[in-house]
């Protein structure tokens, strides 16, 4: 029976068992904590129907004011390093920063963390500007069914994403794509996803579940069922044993983590780091990984990791702000 049919027949537990064995054999028992670092809340395109930025674009009069200060970005990278997390990628809407500005930020983060960064900054024809500070390029596919993609992400054609990824490979960069589940896709649409992975030689896939934002067409759409999400990840792991898989879930769905780890996830992401650190929500993340039989790289709870010397002038005020947020008692944090 093929993998898609097994999902449709709801043989999810069988898929999880098979995927878990493959993951342990190919990747070991470590799980990373991943943090996407955002550069700005502005996007020139602003028409992806699920996206928070699409709801904010009409409210932003001066796009420059939606850019984060570089010092805040670099201080966040330093905090991620101290906690033992990975930077999932640098992400920013179209038109927020120039290529040279992104390169400079990536270079400084590389110096702080000693690791080159992934980029997820939109479709670009300027990849030759980047060098050793960047390890890979991410294409925001979101939904792989071409018809759905045209409706949901009208200004980000799949052909253009594929062309960028092809060039990225030719230049020696690794390649990744993002996929959001819950946008109206069906199990059959996994074939489109697998074709992209196979054709492009994708190194990493980041799966997210829909986060319904107010003032978007998906505001009242439920998030995808946890077992459907896990089944998609498991089938993808079985299909591509060596693929790196990162999975994102939200604070109101932390119970997704255990099944996603068993399904083949190498890392977990999409958390409000500074609000959750040291709280019962952070501890819950660690418990989910523990009871999936994995070893967590990095911490969500250990305050001893927070202190250290500033790696660059001008970062100390931002570091102190982040540390204060982490140490603040937020046991009543609402999701």
């Amino acid at each position: 029976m093929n993998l898609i049919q097994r999902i449709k027949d709801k043989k999810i537990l069988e898929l999880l068992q098979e995927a878990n064995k493959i993951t342990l054999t190919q990747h070991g028992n470590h799980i990373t904590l991943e943090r996407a670092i955002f550069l700005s809340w502005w996007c020139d395109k602003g028409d992806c129907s699920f996206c928070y930025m699409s709801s904010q674009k009409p409210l932003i009069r001066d796009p420059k004011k939606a850019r984060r200060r570089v010092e805040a970005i670099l201080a966040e990278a330093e905090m991620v390093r101290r906690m033992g997390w990975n930077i999932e990628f640098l992400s920013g809407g179209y038109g927020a920063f120039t290529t040279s500005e992104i390169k400079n930020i990536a270079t400084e983060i590389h110096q702080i963390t000693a690791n080159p960064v992934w980029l997820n900054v939109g479709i670009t024809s300027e990849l030759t500007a980047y060098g050793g500070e960047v390890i890979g390029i991410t294409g925001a596919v979101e939904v792989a069914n071409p018809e759905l993609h045209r409706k949901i992400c009208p200004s980000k054609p799949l052909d253009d994403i594929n062309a960028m990824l092809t060039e990225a490979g030719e230049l020696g960069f690794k390649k990744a794509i993002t996929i959001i589940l819950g946008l109206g896709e069906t199990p059959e649409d996994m074939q489109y996803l697998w074709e992209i992975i196979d054709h492009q030689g994708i190194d990493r896939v980041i799966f997210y579940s829909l986060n319904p934002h107010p003032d978007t067409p998906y505001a009242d759409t439920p998030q995808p069922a946890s077992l459907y999400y896990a089944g998609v990840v498991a089938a993808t792991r079985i299909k591509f044993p060596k693929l790196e898989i990162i999975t994102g879930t939200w604070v109101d769905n932390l119970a997704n983590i255990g099944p996603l780890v068993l399904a083949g996830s190498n890392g977990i992401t999409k958390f409000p780091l500074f609000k959750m650190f040291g709280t019962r929500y952070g501890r819950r993340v660690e418990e989910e990984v523990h009871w999936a039989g994995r070893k967590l790289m990095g911490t969500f709870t250990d305050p001893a990791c927070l202190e250290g010397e500033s790696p660059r002038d001008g970062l100390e005020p931002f570091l102190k702000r982040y540390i204060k947020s982490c140490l603040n008692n937020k046991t009543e944090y609402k999701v």
Side-chain angles (χ1 to χ4, degrees):
M1 185 183 298
N2 69 41
L3 293 168
I4 292 175
Q5 189 61 49
R6 289 166 71 182
I7 291 176
K8 293 171 67 177
D9 290 345
K10 302 177 181 62
K11 297 183 181 297
I12 307 302
L13 294 181
E14 292 180 9
L15 290 170
L16 294 185
Q17 289 179 323
E18 186 175 345
N20 190 45
K21 291 179 182 178
I22 292 171
T23 306
L24 289 171
T25 299
Q26 295 288 338
H27 302 273
N29 71 336
H30 292 85
I31 297 294
T32 59
L33 290 167
E34 305 279 333
R35 172 73 170 177
I37 294 185
F38 284 85
L39 305 179
S40 170
W41 296 109
W42 168 258
C43 178
D44 274 343
K45 307 290 187 185
D47 60 1
C48 289
S49 56
F50 60 84
C51 185
Y52 172 76
M53 288 193 210
S54 70
S55 69
Q56 297 303 297
K57 186 177 180 181
L59 306 178
I60 298 174
R61 294 183 179 181
D62 183 358
K64 290 184 178 180
K65 292 183 178 179
R67 291 170 32 136
R68 294 183 64 197
R69 290 186 61 174
V70 172
E71 292 84 358
I73 294 168
L74 299 181
E76 185 174 346
E78 167 63 10
M79 292 297 296
V80 169
R81 184 197 66 79
R82 292 181 186 184
M83 294 174 181
W85 290 43
N86 290 338
I87 295 175
E88 178 186 342
F89 46 56
L90 299 186
S91 180
Y94 285 78
F97 283 84
T98 66
T99 297
S100 61
E101 288 174 322
I102 295 170
K103 178 181 174 65
N104 289 339
I105 292 170
T107 298
E108 295 208 54
I109 290 178
H110 185 198
Q111 293 170 354
I112 289 170
T113 65
N115 293 313
V117 300
W118 285 86
L119 295 184
N120 182 14
V121 293
I123 301 166
T124 176
S125 59
E126 300 180 342
L127 294 181
T128 55
Y130 300 111
E133 73 283 350
V134 171
I135 189 172
I137 304 299
T138 305
V141 170
E142 320 301 24
V143 58
N145 178 314
E147 184 177 352
L148 267 180
H149 185 93
R150 283 191 290 270
K151 294 177 180 178
I152 295 170
C153 304
S155 296
K156 303 173 185 177
L158 281 175
D159 286 347
D160 291 352
I161 293 173
N162 273 305
M164 178 185 71
L165 290 172
T166 297
E167 182 184 7
E170 292 171 349
L171 293 172
F173 295 113
K174 289 188 175 183
K175 296 184 278 187
I177 57 174
T178 58
I179 295 291
I180 300 173
L181 299 179
L183 295 178
E185 78 288 342
T186 66
E188 286 85 354
D189 291 339
M190 292 183 66
Q191 192 60 49
Y192 295 112
L193 166 62
W194 294 345
E195 286 174 1
I196 294 173
I197 296 171
D198 188 49
H199 174 72
Q200 285 289 348
I202 294 296
D203 300 288
R204 165 194 271 199
V205 175
I206 305 106
F207 287 102
Y208 304 116
S209 61
L210 171 69
N211 187 25
H213 290 294
D215 302 318
T216 71
Y218 287 94
D220 297 319
T221 301
Q223 295 174 328
S226 59
L227 290 180
Y228 164 71
Y229 188 177
V232 169
V233 173
T236 303
R237 163 59 68 223
I238 295 167
K239 183 78 172 177
F240 301 97
K242 296 185 181 298
L243 181 71
E244 182 183 7
I245 297 177
I246 306 298
T247 54
T249 194
W250 304 93
V251 184
D252 56 347
N253 273 314
L254 295 181
N256 280 352
I257 294 172
L260 290 172
V261 169
L262 295 178
S265 182
N266 301 111
I268 51 177
T269 188
K270 219 59 183 173
F271 306 113
L273 171 57
F274 301 118
K275 289 182 179 179
M276 282 177 62
F277 188 90
T279 69
R280 59 188 173 96
Y281 299 99
R283 292 194 296 274
R284 174 64 182 275
V285 173
E286 295 184 347
E287 285 291 296
E288 287 285 332
V289 173
H290 171 74
W291 284 102
R294 298 297 202 273
K295 181 177 180 181
L296 188 66
M297 307 300 292
T299 179
F300 227 134
T301 58
D302 183 7
C305 74
L306 300 178
E307 298 299 330
E309 294 184 5
S310 176
R312 180 182 180 278
D313 291 340
L315 301 191
E316 196 60 39
F318 298 93
L319 291 169
K320 287 181 178 179
R321 186 184 308 164
Y322 291 143
I323 292 170
K324 181 179 179 181
S325 179
C326 288
L327 295 177
N328 185 33
N329 185 350
K330 301 174 292 297
T331 55
E332 298 304 316
Y333 171 57
K334 305 294 184 181
V335 299

